[in-house]
Amino acid sequence: MPGPDGPWEQVQERFEDTGRAVVHATWGQWLTPALLDPALRTLLGRDWPRFRRHPAPAGRLILAVSRTVLKHTAAAALQVPAERLDLACLPGGRPVLRGLGTDLQVSLAHTDELIVVGVSRAGAVGVDAEPATRRISFDALRDHVCTAEEARLLTALPEEERTQAFLRLWTLKEAYAKALGHGMRRRFSAIGFEWNTTGTARLAGDTAGEWAFATHLVEERYLVSEAHRPGEAHPRRAARARPQGPRTPPATNTPNGPPGAQPPDGGRVLDFPAHRGLGPR
């Protein structure tokens, strides 16, 4: 999304069709319009004192721009002015809407220049992002992030494949923990993932497909993972008349989720074959 002015039509259409949407943006495109917006104080709401008192200039900018992207995305989904939304954070850091839009679940992630927002009225949602070229120590973090089986599979991979697969696994677990509202309080080594022959990620033991996962390469340099637990049908979907003309049929079996799940737009979906463990062939 290039800025506060959108275009937001694709987000609104996807939200009406599926009850959820994932948006990504960059600081450079949003910084100036966010800071020059005369309604910034109203838009930030309860975050305004925190914005004013933040000791680090970079921290103030991160706060202002990330909240602006989140509120505009939620506003596009709900089709209301962004200034009308009241955003708060739960003790674990999970963002929530109060008053108008309380039935909308939101998730926020940012890394380097990228900001990612997930919104859902059709079940829990969590998003996470990392630079695709980030160098992380598998040996130092293995016991914190991996189950015993995941560690075994990753150890068998060549170093470059292992790094990419480990980073993908990490973002998936971060997204899942955010969807649960646990954040960093969740012990990642207690969360197990499995991959089938097409590279589809699923929770270990989740044979019913209660959760859907997707990982995308965005801007050719960021890994963005989404965790979504499909809930009841989107309440507005049945109430609104369908527009006339040809429409793309809903997905029945997508590569990154159970039947009926649709991965977010805006990036190349990553599928890692399972017969080589967690990494790409």
Side-chain angles (χ1 to χ4, degrees):
M1 190 59 58
D5 294 332
W8 293 99
E9 290 80 6
Q10 186 179 4
V11 174
Q12 293 168 350
E13 180 178 334
R14 183 169 183 84
F15 191 78
E16 289 178 5
D17 284 347
T18 69
R20 82 184 202 280
V22 176
V23 166
H24 64 87
T26 59
W27 299 103
Q29 293 176 304
W30 280 74
L31 180 59
T32 299
L35 295 182
L36 294 182
D37 187 349
L40 179 62
R41 180 170 184 169
T42 303
L43 187 69
L44 290 181
R46 66 180 68 239
D47 280 321
W48 178 255
R50 182 182 171 196
F51 168 73
R52 295 285 294 173
R53 293 194 303 264
H54 202 291
R60 287 197 294 272
L61 299 182
I62 291 172
L63 176 65
V65 179
S66 62
R67 298 304 190 272
T68 299
V69 176
L70 192 156
K71 279 200 172 183
H72 277 279
T73 301
L78 297 171
Q79 299 189 36
V80 299
E83 295 82 1
R84 292 184 58 191
L85 298 178
D86 181 19
L87 182 68
C89 287
L90 297 179
R94 181 181 184 180
V96 294
L97 293 173
R98 295 184 174 179
L100 179 65
T102 52
D103 58 341
L104 185 73
Q105 298 203 39
V106 296
S107 184
L108 172 68
H110 52 80
T111 182
D112 288 353
E113 298 181 4
L114 190 74
I115 305 167
V116 182
V117 173
V119 292
S120 173
R121 203 180 236 160
V125 66
V127 294
D128 189 61
E130 288 287 348
T133 57
R134 179 179 176 184
R135 310 307 297 180
I136 53 179
S137 173
F138 171 68
D139 291 334
L141 296 171
R142 173 179 52 201
D143 293 341
H144 170 70
V145 176
C146 300
T147 64
E149 176 64 12
E150 291 166 347
R152 184 187 67 79
L153 293 172
L154 284 167
T155 301
L157 294 175
E159 183 177 359
E160 189 62 31
E161 292 185 17
R162 182 190 309 133
T163 298
Q164 287 296 306
F166 183 52
L167 192 60
R168 181 198 183 201
L169 180 66
W170 193 349
T171 61
L172 284 168
K173 292 192 177 187
E174 288 269 17
Y176 175 62
K178 288 182 178 181
L180 292 175
H182 296 168
M184 294 300 292
R185 294 174 297 168
R186 186 78 174 189
R187 189 163 63 91
F188 287 173
S189 59
I191 306 170
F193 274 86
E194 299 173 338
W195 275 258
N196 64 18
T197 55
T198 65
T200 302
R202 74 175 187 183
L203 284 176
D206 184 17
T207 56
E210 294 184 4
W211 285 86
F213 299 92
T215 301
H216 293 254
L217 184 64
V218 172
E219 304 271 342
E220 294 300 319
R221 55 197 178 110
Y222 297 104
L223 288 183
V224 174
S225 286
E226 178 200 5
H228 173 238
R229 185 175 188 176
E232 297 180 359
H234 179 42
R236 294 187 181 181
R237 187 174 182 182
R240 293 186 177 182
R242 301 287 293 181
Q244 299 300 313
R247 300 278 293 185
T248 302
T252 57
N253 191 10
T254 60
N256 281 76
Q262 297 187 27
D265 295 325
R268 176 160 56 85
V269 180
L270 302 181
D271 293 317
F272 295 163
H275 64 279
R276 287 294 303 276
L278 301 176
R281 187 172 185 179

